Structures are given as structure tokens and as C-alpha cells.
Amino acid sequence: MDYIKLVNDAFANEAVNNYPDFKAGDTITVTYRIKEGDKERLQKFRGVVLQVRGASPATKTFTVRKISNGIGVERIFPFNSPFIDSIEVNKYGKVRRARIFYLRDLSGKKARIKEKKYVAKDAE
């Protein structure tokens, strides 16, 4: 009996999230539910996706990086977290790698990511 496969199948059936498709280089806003004592509030974390990893829905995570007061802050979010309220894609970035850790060493204009241009299908 493979217990890991059993748990992964249970999460696969349960974790049907309606999140938009995004990948490394995209700028997203994650609205996260934070519990402080007996109060609960929503906090937005906006940044660039550095990587999306994990094969099964139970282990799938994504890393988001932002600059806060001149200091780089990274946060790892599990896809099936019950604390994620929503994910919104702000910009689609044009990068050539699946994991863009080189952004950690860059700052200012060098850390910019080109934006993908999409043509609307209804424009024709």
C-alpha cells in the first residue's frame, strides 16, 4: 500500500482551485488571510513569481519576491493553502527561464522584466 500516493490522490480531488495560470516572471498579487489572535484580516502580497515547483497538487508551491523598503522579501505559498483568498495576475513577464533566481542579485533598472504583449482574439 503506497500511503504517499493515497494522500496525493486525496489532495488532488480536494484541491480544485480556480487560480489563474501564471509562471516565473509574472507579477501577481496574492491575497492572504492572516489570523491575529481572534481577529482575521486580508493582506495583499504583490511581487514577481520566481518559481513554480511541485508535481502533485499536494506539494505544488510558488515563490513570490517583492522589494519592501529597499529589502528583498520572498514568500513561499502552497497552492492548496486554505489561507489564500485569491490570486490576481497583474503582468505577464517575458523570461527565458523557469526559475529566475538571478533577480536576487539585481537591483534598479537591471531587475526589470519585459512584459508580454497579448493580442485579444476578439479584436479581429
Side-chain angles (χ1 to χ4, degrees), residues 21-39:
D21 291 333
F22 58 89
K23 57 183 181 21
D26 297 345
T27 303
I28 65 171
T29 302
V30 181
T31 307
Y32 205 70
R33 201 173 296 126
I34 294 179
K35 202 169 195 177
E36 295 173 339
D38 57 342
K39 289 189 276 184

Side-chain angles (χ1 to χ4, degrees), residues 29-76:
T29 302
V30 181
T31 307
Y32 205 70
R33 201 173 296 126
I34 294 179
K35 202 169 195 177
E36 295 173 339
D38 57 342
K39 289 189 276 184
E40 194 173 288
R41 65 183 176 88
L42 296 176
Q43 182 176 4
K44 293 187 177 184
F45 193 90
R46 182 178 183 192
V48 177
V49 178
L50 292 185
Q51 71 174 347
V52 178
R53 67 179 297 177
S56 69
T59 61
K60 198 167 185 183
T61 62
F62 59 98
T63 305
V64 182
R65 178 182 175 85
K66 74 173 183 175
I67 304 296
S68 178
N69 295 325
I71 298 171
V73 178
E74 291 183 11
R75 187 151 184 194
I76 301 170

Side-chain angles (χ1 to χ4, degrees), residues 2-4 9-11 13-14 25 28 36 51-54 63 67 72 83 86 102 105 109 120 122:
D2 190 10
Y3 292 112
I4 294 175
D9 290 342
F11 272 111
N13 296 337
E14 184 178 307
I28 65 171
E36 295 173 339
Q51 71 174 347
V52 178
R53 67 179 297 177
T63 305
I67 304 296
F83 297 110
S86 65
Y102 63 85
D105 301 327
K109 286 187 175 181
D122 300 334

